[in-house]
Amino acid sequence: MARARMAETIREQINLATRNVLASQSLHDLVARECRDLRDAQISSGAASTVFSTFVDGRRNDAEEHVRLDNGIVSYVFSYLAQGVAFALAECQKRSPVHTGAFRKGWAVRVNGKWWARPAAAIQPGSIVEIVNTMPYARKIDTGGQETSVPPGIVEAVRQATRRQFPTLTIARKFINLTGGQDARGGPLPYVLKAQALKAALPGQNPMGLSASESPAVATAKIAPPVRS
């Protein structure tokens, strides 16, 4: 009986000590610092994006200090969508023919079906992004129906270049129906032809553009419970 009571006393002392360790703020701070150091090392090496969301035990944007120390999980979800959109938009403009400058200025961004006037860096991970030229002759230029100073196929060339730079992005070349907004000359969208006092939408003039989405990269740290000797 004395041995049993002694064993129970020791077990209670160990449990109490373990709870004290798990509740230690300094240990939480240490674990949080280790997680952030690992994350920053991935970013510094170029293996991870500078744009990321933090999940602590499933809670989005919570502090790493709040992770459970007994099998808690800290995950960083890295997104290249904003960088990819900025790269693709710059490539579209760089590869555009220049005559009046309207076509080069006509490249625009839509995010989740709405026109986007903010910087590309503000695009949130998980968004569906479209890059399209709003000028009425954009499709002709891209398909070779209108001769310009550059070869046709601008959109496909940009798609391939962006895909090489950002392999986690899913990028498609597509025809996009535009509603609302204005083109680079201030004309309304969609473009309509005025003839004999009637307005008729030009058939087959849906602009060519890019659609981009993403399967983000994830880095996860699982916190093992402390081992007592």
Side-chain angles (χ1 to χ4, degrees):
M1 292 294 293
R3 289 184 178 180
R5 285 196 298 272
M6 182 179 295
E8 183 62 29
T9 300
I10 293 174
R11 184 158 49 247
E12 289 177 359
Q13 290 175 345
I14 290 175
N15 289 338
L16 178 61
T18 301
R19 285 195 297 272
N20 290 337
V21 168
L22 292 177
S24 168
Q25 185 58 51
S26 60
L27 185 55
H28 279 271
D29 292 342
L30 176 62
V31 169
R33 187 164 59 250
E34 289 290 332
C35 289
R36 285 192 283 262
D37 286 347
L38 289 171
R39 177 201 67 197
D40 293 344
Q42 290 291 305
I43 295 173
S44 298
S45 69
S49 169
T50 57
V51 179
F52 59 87
S53 297
T54 304
F55 292 83
V56 177
D57 293 330
R59 300 183 299 273
R60 186 186 181 102
N61 295 332
D62 199 358
E64 289 89 341
E65 284 81 0
H66 297 160
V67 67
R68 297 193 318 270
L69 298 183
D70 51 340
N71 297 315
I73 294 177
V74 175
S75 296
Y76 299 104
V77 180
F78 298 97
S79 173
Y80 289 90
L81 186 59
Q83 293 100 315
V85 170
F87 175 86
L89 183 60
E91 283 292 302
C92 285
Q93 294 167 340
K94 183 176 71 175
R95 295 168 186 261
S96 296
V98 179
H99 180 55
T100 65
F103 183 80
R104 176 169 287 182
K105 294 177 182 177
W107 293 103
V109 175
R110 297 200 310 178
V111 177
N112 298 327
K114 296 181 180 180
W115 294 108
W116 185 262
R118 299 171 61 191
I123 296 174
Q124 293 299 304
S127 300
I128 303 297
V129 181
E130 295 169 329
I131 300 174
V132 62
N133 196 292
T134 60
M135 298 309 295
Y137 47 79
R139 178 173 175 174
K140 287 185 177 181
I141 289 179
D142 192 73
T143 59
Q146 180 173 324
E147 187 175 346
T148 68
S149 59
V150 300
I154 296 172
V155 172
E156 177 59 21
V158 171
R159 187 194 73 80
Q160 293 183 19
T162 307
R163 189 71 177 83
R164 287 192 295 268
Q165 290 290 324
F166 302 94
T168 63
L169 299 184
T170 299
I171 308 172
R173 175 178 179 264
K174 61 183 291 187
F175 294 107
I176 299 173
N177 291 316
L178 299 182
T179 55
Q182 296 179 327
D183 63 25
R185 298 178 300 193
L189 296 173
Y191 178 74
V192 295
L193 177 66
K194 296 181 180 180
Q196 298 177 357
L198 296 175
K199 292 184 179 180
L202 282 174
Q205 292 299 309
N206 297 4
M208 184 74 72
L210 291 171
S211 176
S213 58
E214 181 177 34
S215 299
V218 180
T220 298
K222 185 172 182 179
I223 314 304
V227 178
R228 298 185 61 81
S229 56

